[in-house]
Amino acid sequence: MSELTQVGFDYAALPVDAALTARAAAERIKLRLKRTVEDIIEIGRELTAVKEELPHGQFLPWIAAEFEMTKDTAQNFMSVFDRFGKNGNFPFLNLKPSILYALSAPSTPDAVIDRAIEKAESGEKVTVADVRGWKAL
């Protein structure tokens, strides 16, 4: 016997007022998450452009002074931009930043990214554990 899985939240199980409030909040939050991903890409683009312009050895002091940002954090932003933001067609607007960072890591093969795109486009949830598991195959 196959097991059924719930794809979305069951709002029918809630009182009407609570369901309306929760649905409206979910839509607003999804919009903000999409903007977060767009912002990550734009931050990565900006960091990449500045890193290319600064003299050698000045980038890390600049990000530390301006943003209290570590090298790893800056690299995460730049990797997302490098891997996904350059072509302007970004398929991951509904993914959490931690998943984007895992997918954009240099050690992530294209096959893993393709699998994540396929899963995300079909409406399925992609997790960091999925990415790690696919990379281990």
Side-chain angles (χ1 to χ4, degrees):
M1 176 188 232
S2 67
E3 192 176 309
L4 296 176
T5 58
Q6 181 176 331
V7 175
F9 183 80
D10 182 11
Y11 289 98
L14 298 176
V16 174
D17 288 346
L20 291 172
T21 299
R23 277 184 198 241
E27 290 306 313
R28 289 190 303 272
I29 291 166
K30 286 177 185 176
L31 178 61
R32 286 182 176 103
L33 288 171
K34 178 181 176 188
R35 286 190 294 215
T36 298
V37 170
E38 291 167 345
D39 287 344
I40 288 170
I41 294 167
E42 185 59 20
I43 291 167
R45 186 191 69 71
E46 294 272 7
L47 290 171
T48 299
V50 170
K51 184 175 182 179
E52 291 171 358
E53 290 293 320
L54 292 179
H56 181 75
Q58 294 302 303
F59 181 70
L60 294 180
W62 177 73
I63 62 170
E66 290 294 334
F67 316 110
E68 296 182 8
M69 186 182 293
T70 66
K71 176 183 176 182
D72 289 343
T73 299
Q75 189 58 55
N76 282 338
F77 286 118
M78 293 186 299
S79 292
V80 170
F81 169 71
D82 186 54
R83 194 84 181 242
F84 305 116
K86 288 183 176 180
N87 65 12
N89 183 18
F90 193 74
F92 297 118
L93 293 177
N94 61 340
L95 296 181
K96 293 190 281 185
S98 58
I99 299 165
L100 295 176
Y101 302 145
L103 287 171
S104 68
S107 62
T108 304
D110 289 341
V112 170
I113 294 168
D114 293 343
R115 193 167 182 181
I117 291 171
E118 183 179 305
K119 191 171 181 178
E121 286 179 343
S122 72
E124 294 180 67
K125 187 176 183 178
V126 178
T127 66
V128 172
D130 289 335
V131 175
R132 287 183 184 142
W134 298 331
K135 286 171 77 169
L137 295 176

